[in-house]
């Protein structure tokens, strides 16, 4: 419903009061007569900044949202006004460079203005990142088209071309919304036409056209209409327009921006122009509509047909703006999603569909070597499992010597068929023979040496809050000759080597990963060997999500030789919010101490091996005497004294 003049003035006054720089700029433009007459009459007469405070305005004079891609440009310094939109109507300005009747064509296109919105972010560094427009239906849902580089500010691409929201530095999942208003006259905080992005149906690969398709579902207000797509590609000289949200862009000429935008940014505008270059097999679609950072994802609409002919994505100041052609858009909407693997893609950015490895695939795998350190002189046996857990281990069909061991290259896994997770992994590290292997697209496999029905799969990681967490790190077993190291690398991508890990764990994972890097890098640098055991702490409070148990804590034991290279040295670590430590204190009736251990963010602790044994019920007897945190008389383990642990802040805090 249109706002009356009082609401308009109240909205503008609030913005001006919150930003003195903006207020001064507006007053100056009014005095100079540089604001469009309709805008000045409707909004600015008698509008003086009032005393007091208010929320930060969107129309910053010299700022744009942090991280906003600066990929748009002013092409012509005159004659291409980016006209404001108020109440879904274009605030017309003179158009001397356009044919007579262009204003009528613009009025005919105003019906599509409500179908264009600002792509806003949740839990991210930027409040918003670009523009989106409704281009298709999917059942009762709608698809909003924007740029890949906009969506990638808060999302990553999956193996099937879809996208998933990433987590911020605090481990909180990001999100997105589409605000289909956000005009110069909008009341701050008005969410009457804002809808959440329910899913990302398509997120282009970096080598594909710069497109993303966001899905929105019916909500509190009727969803906008679908903007039609043109039947053919745009031709040279066609009259077109961008509808979007230009932000202040320091890459463009400041005077040109002031002349065009009157220091009002980040709100919906309608910018007419012409096609400068038609799309061909060798040439991109280019236009001269005025744009700035924030126009990313704006629809390029034909003024004659009222249909979309392109998706704006980049530009060069004074040269031209580029757009994805309508043919590509149609192909994507028809489901022709190109799946392009980027060489050297990093962890989490790409993946491949699950695979299956038959039992014969693992022929010759030796698994974890218990006589590895000191040329086999020092034994590092598997920790003993409690009888109920040992009885529930999956039995590999290739008959390992070590009960229940799934043998891989340089590591082994003991997998619980009952819990559907690895109870324990063991890996041999050789710093002298380490081989660095760059991570490529992830492909996870089912190991057919045990029943597929007891293994996890992609279906268990549908929830966006759950990750596949390697127990044996990808890099740890990568040593030996190149072929052997590469085989070890790919062996780590079996579901029996993965635990479901919750987003909260990532909040404290930095130091845990730092510890793992410290172990591996030290082995490489100093040229020593190590044996590393890792596993989840099975707790009564572990949630079940998508059919997978999600452990809240994890432990690690590292065995090496001492400085003389003769005796065993062993240290244990815990990734925890403090549950295990509190449980130990409660068992030992240290009630006052329990109050001092608060369950907060995840942290990494070094913990006495005897206390880890007491908490898990695992048998670490072979390592107790090698622990620098041991007591002189370990026979008193479990008595009334408290557990021994150190909260690690840096690897330098480790007691060796």
């Amino acid at each position: 419903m249109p706002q009356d003049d009082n609401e308009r003035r109240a909205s503008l006054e609030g913005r001006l009061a919150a930003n003195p720089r903006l207020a001064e700029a507006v007053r100056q433009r009014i005095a100079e007569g540089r604001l469009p007459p309709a805008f000045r009459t409707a909004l600015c007469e008698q509008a003086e900044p009032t005393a007091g405070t208010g929320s930060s305005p969107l129309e910053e004079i010299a700022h744009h949202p942090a991280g906003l891609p600066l990929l748009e440009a002013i092409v012509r310094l005159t004659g291409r006004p980016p006209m404001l939109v108020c109440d879904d109507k274009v605030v017309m300005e003179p158009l001397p460079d356009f044919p007579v009747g262009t204003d009528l064509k613009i009025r005919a296109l105003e019906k599509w203005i409500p179908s264009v919105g600002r792509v806003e972010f949740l839990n991210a560094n930027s409040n918003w990142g670009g523009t989106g427009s409704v281009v298709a239906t999917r059942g009762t849902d709608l698809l909003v088209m924007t740029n890949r580089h906009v969506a990638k500010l808060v999302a990553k691409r999956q193996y099937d071309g879809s996208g998933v929201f990433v987590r911020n530095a605090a481990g909180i999942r990001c999100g997105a919304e589409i605000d289909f208003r956000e005009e110069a006259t909008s009341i701050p905080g008005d969410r009457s036409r804002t809808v959440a992005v329910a899913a990302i149906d398509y997120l282009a690969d970096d080598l594909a056209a710069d497109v993303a398709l966001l899905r929105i579902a019916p909500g509190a207000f009727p969803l906008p209409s679908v903007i039609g797509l043109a039947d053919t590609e745009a031709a040279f000289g066609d009259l077109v327009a961008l509808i979007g949200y230009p932000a202040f862009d320091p890459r463009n000429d400041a005077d040109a921006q002031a002349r065009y935008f009157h220091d009002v940014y980040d709100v919906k505008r309608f910018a007419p122009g012409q096609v400068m270059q038609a799309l061909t097999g060798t040439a991109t679609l280019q236009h001269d509509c005025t744009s700035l950072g924030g126009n990313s994802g704006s629809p390029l609409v034909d003024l004659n047909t009222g249909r979309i002919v392109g998706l704006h994505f980049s530009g060069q100041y004074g040269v031209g703006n580029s757009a994805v052609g309508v043919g590509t858009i149609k192909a994507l909407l028809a489901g022709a999603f190109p799946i392009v693997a980027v060489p050297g893609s990093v962890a989490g950015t790409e993946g491949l569909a699950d695979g299956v490895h038959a039992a014969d695939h693992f022929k010759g795998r030796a698994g974890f070597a218990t006589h590895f350190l000191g040329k086999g002189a020092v034994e590092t046996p598997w920790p003993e499992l409690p009888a109920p857990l040992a009885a529930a281990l999956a039995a590999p069909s290739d008959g390992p010597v070590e009960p229940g061991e799934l043998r891989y290259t340089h590591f082994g896994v003991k997998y619980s068929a009952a819990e559907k997770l690895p109870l324990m992994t063991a890996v041999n590290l050789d710093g002298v023979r380490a081989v660095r292997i760059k991570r490529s697209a992830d492909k996870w496999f089912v190991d057919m040496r045990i029943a597929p029905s007891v293994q996890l799969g992609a279906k268990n990681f549908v929830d966006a809050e759950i990750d596949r967490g390697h127990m044996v790190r990808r890099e740890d077993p990568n040593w030996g000759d190149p072929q052997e190291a590469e085989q070890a690398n790919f062996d780590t991508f079996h579901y029996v080597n993965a635990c479901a890990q919750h987003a909260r764990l990532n909040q404290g994972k930095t130091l845990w990963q730092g510890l793992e890097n410290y172990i591996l890098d030290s082995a490489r640098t100093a040229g020593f060997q190590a044996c590393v055991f890792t596993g989840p702490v099975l707790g009564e409070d572990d949630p079940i999500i998508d059919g997978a148990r999600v452990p809240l804590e994890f432990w690690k034991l590292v065995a090496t030789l001492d400085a003389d290279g003769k005796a065993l040295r062993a240290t244990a670590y815990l990734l925890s919010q403090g549950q295990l430590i509190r449980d130990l204190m409660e068992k030992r009736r240290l009630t006052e101490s329990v109050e001092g251990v608060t369950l907060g963010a995840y942290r990494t602790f070094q913990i006495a091996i005897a206390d880890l044994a007491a908490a898990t019920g695992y048998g670490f007897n072979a390592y107790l005497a090698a622990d620098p945190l041991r007591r002189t008389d370990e026979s008193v383990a479990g008595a009334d004294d408290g557990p021994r642990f150190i909260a690690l802040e840096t690897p330098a805090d480790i007691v060796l």
Side-chain angles (χ1 to χ4, degrees):
M1 179 180 294
Q3 299 167 306
D4 61 29
D5 288 346
N6 290 332
E7 288 179 310
R8 297 177 192 275
R9 290 194 177 93
S11 173
L12 184 61
E13 287 171 0
R15 297 172 186 270
L16 297 177
N19 193 330
R21 296 173 63 198
L22 177 63
E24 178 58 32
V26 170
R27 283 197 298 270
Q28 182 177 347
R29 298 304 184 266
I30 293 174
E32 296 171 354
R34 293 171 60 183
L35 284 175
F39 180 73
R40 183 173 63 249
T41 300
L43 302 178
C44 299
E45 288 180 355
Q46 302 177 7
E48 294 293 333
T50 57
T53 60
S55 60
S56 297
L58 294 174
E59 297 88 347
E60 296 283 355
I61 288 180
H63 176 70
H64 60 89
L68 191 67
L70 300 179
L71 296 172
E72 288 75 29
I74 295 173
V75 178
R76 294 188 54 174
L77 298 182
T78 60
R80 293 293 183 269
M83 297 178 286
L84 284 165
V85 172
C86 297
D87 294 331
D88 298 325
K89 302 293 183 184
V90 177
V91 180
M92 296 298 299
E93 296 187 38
L95 301 170
D97 291 354
F98 290 85
V100 175
T102 298
D103 57 336
L104 299 179
K105 297 178 185 296
I106 292 173
R107 291 296 182 207
L109 263 64
E110 288 178 333
K111 62 183 179 181
W112 301 130
I113 287 177
S115 300
V116 179
R118 200 172 76 168
V119 182
E120 301 181 341
F121 299 146
L122 305 173
N123 305 321
N125 292 331
S126 306
N127 291 329
W128 65 285
T131 301
S133 57
V134 178
V135 292
T137 59
R138 287 293 183 270
T140 59
D141 299 340
L142 295 179
L143 291 186
V144 173
M145 177 176 66
T146 188
N147 288 148
R148 170 194 62 238
H149 71 258
V150 172
K152 283 188 71 174
L153 291 173
V154 292
K156 64 181 180 181
R157 176 181 163 89
Q158 301 289 85
Y159 74 89
D160 61 355
S162 66
V164 61
F165 288 112
V166 298
R167 302 185 184 98
N168 63 20
I172 302 172
R173 186 70 63 176
C174 295
E177 298 177 328
I178 311 296
D179 185 343
F180 287 101
R181 185 178 288 279
E182 200 56 58
E183 301 172 349
T185 56
S186 295
I187 298 174
D190 177 16
R191 295 176 52 83
S192 60
R193 280 168 52 182
T194 299
V195 61
V197 173
I200 303 174
D201 277 24
Y202 174 68
L203 181 58
D205 182 275
D206 287 344
L207 300 182
D210 195 350
V211 183
L213 298 174
L214 315 179
R215 183 184 289 259
I216 59 175
F221 71 97
L223 292 180
S225 302
V226 172
I227 306 176
L229 301 178
D231 294 329
T232 59
E233 300 287 357
F236 174 78
D238 283 355
L239 296 179
V240 290
L242 284 183
I243 308 174
Y245 295 84
F248 183 85
D249 186 342
R251 191 201 60 180
N252 284 265
D253 180 78
D255 289 339
Q257 287 187 85
R259 180 168 55 255
Y260 269 142
F261 293 92
H262 314 293
D263 297 314
V264 178
Y265 302 100
D266 304 351
V267 294
K268 189 178 287 189
R269 288 178 179 269
F270 187 103
Q274 288 183 304
V275 173
M276 301 172 61
Q277 178 176 275
L279 180 66
T280 67
T282 58
T284 59
L285 172 60
Q286 293 197 343
H287 63 90
D288 62 8
C289 303
T290 295
S291 67
L292 295 176
N295 274 116
S296 289
S298 293
L300 185 68
V301 184
D302 188 304
L303 287 181
N304 289 306
T305 66
R307 295 176 177 267
I308 292 175
V309 292
L311 172 68
H312 173 80
F313 68 90
S314 70
Q316 184 177 352
Y317 176 74
V319 177
N321 284 311
S322 299
V324 177
V326 69
T328 297
I329 297 170
K330 287 181 175 180
L332 292 174
L333 292 175
F337 295 169
I339 309 300
V340 183
V342 181
S345 59
V346 297
T349 60
E350 295 285 344
L352 300 172
D354 289 351
V356 175
H357 279 150
D360 289 346
H361 174 81
F362 303 98
K363 187 176 181 179
R365 302 294 203 277
F368 174 72
T370 57
H371 289 84
F372 180 71
L373 299 181
K375 298 181 180 180
V378 177
E379 185 179 10
T380 54
W382 284 84
E384 297 178 6
L385 293 170
L389 293 181
L393 287 176
S397 61
D398 55 357
V401 175
E402 176 68 33
E405 181 186 4
L406 285 158
R407 293 172 293 177
Y408 297 99
T409 307
H410 304 151
F411 72 95
V413 177
K414 292 196 173 184
Y415 187 82
S416 173
E419 299 292 347
K420 294 187 178 181
L421 51 66
L423 291 179
M424 190 188 313
T425 63
V427 59
N428 303 123
L429 276 72
D430 191 331
V432 175
R433 304 175 62 196
V435 177
R436 295 183 183 272
I437 298 177
K438 192 170 185 179
R439 188 167 185 172
S440 59
D442 292 356
K443 184 177 180 70
W444 288 82
F445 290 88
V446 171
D447 186 334
M448 293 300 291
R449 289 178 294 179
I450 63 175
S453 60
V454 302
Q455 300 179 59
L456 300 182
K459 65 182 182 299
N460 302 109
F461 298 92
V462 174
D463 193 299
E465 299 297 325
I466 302 301
D467 290 334
R468 300 172 179 89
H470 279 77
M471 291 295 96
V472 172
R473 288 213 313 161
R474 181 188 68 85
E475 294 181 283
D476 287 355
N478 298 351
W479 52 270
D481 63 61
Q483 183 176 358
E484 182 183 18
E486 186 171 5
Q487 180 176 274
N489 175 75
F490 288 113
D491 275 358
T492 64
F493 287 94
H494 285 88
Y495 276 107
V496 294
N497 184 42
C499 269
Q501 293 183 345
H502 194 275
R504 286 177 295 174
L505 182 143
N506 285 337
Q507 297 176 10
K509 202 172 180 180
T510 301
L511 186 54
W512 184 255
Q513 291 175 334
L515 168 67
E516 294 175 323
N517 291 333
Y518 175 76
I519 296 167
L520 181 58
D521 292 343
S522 296
R524 287 171 174 167
T525 303
F528 67 81
Q529 297 174 324
C531 296
V532 180
F533 301 91
T534 305
V537 177
L538 302 182
E540 296 178 354
D541 297 330
D542 292 343
I544 304 297
I545 300 177
D546 287 334
R549 181 172 186 154
V550 184
L552 299 179
E553 300 176 290
F554 293 86
W555 61 268
K556 189 180 297 289
L557 187 146
V558 181
T560 61
L561 295 180
D562 63 12
D564 295 329
K566 297 179 180 180
L568 188 66
R569 201 69 165 168
T571 51
Y573 306 92
L574 183 69
L575 176 63
S576 173
Q577 291 175 297
Q579 294 97 326
L580 183 145
I581 294 170
R582 284 174 60 99
D583 288 347
L584 280 173
M585 290 179 171
E586 289 172 352
K587 289 178 182 178
R588 297 173 188 177
R589 296 182 174 84
L590 300 176
T591 54
E592 292 181 350
S593 297
V594 169
E595 295 177 359
V597 181
T598 58
L599 299 181
Y602 270 90
R603 291 176 292 173
T604 298
F605 300 89
Q606 182 177 354
I607 185 171
I609 297 175
D611 291 321
L612 179 62
T616 60
Y618 292 6
F620 294 103
N621 294 339
Y623 303 96
L624 294 178
D627 183 9
L629 294 187
R630 72 187 184 282
R631 283 187 292 266
T632 304
D633 181 3
E634 286 294 355
S635 65
V636 299
D640 288 340
D641 55 340
R644 288 143 297 153
F645 63 92
I646 300 169
L648 302 179
E649 300 296 334
T650 69
D653 297 331
I654 298 173
V655 176
L656 297 174

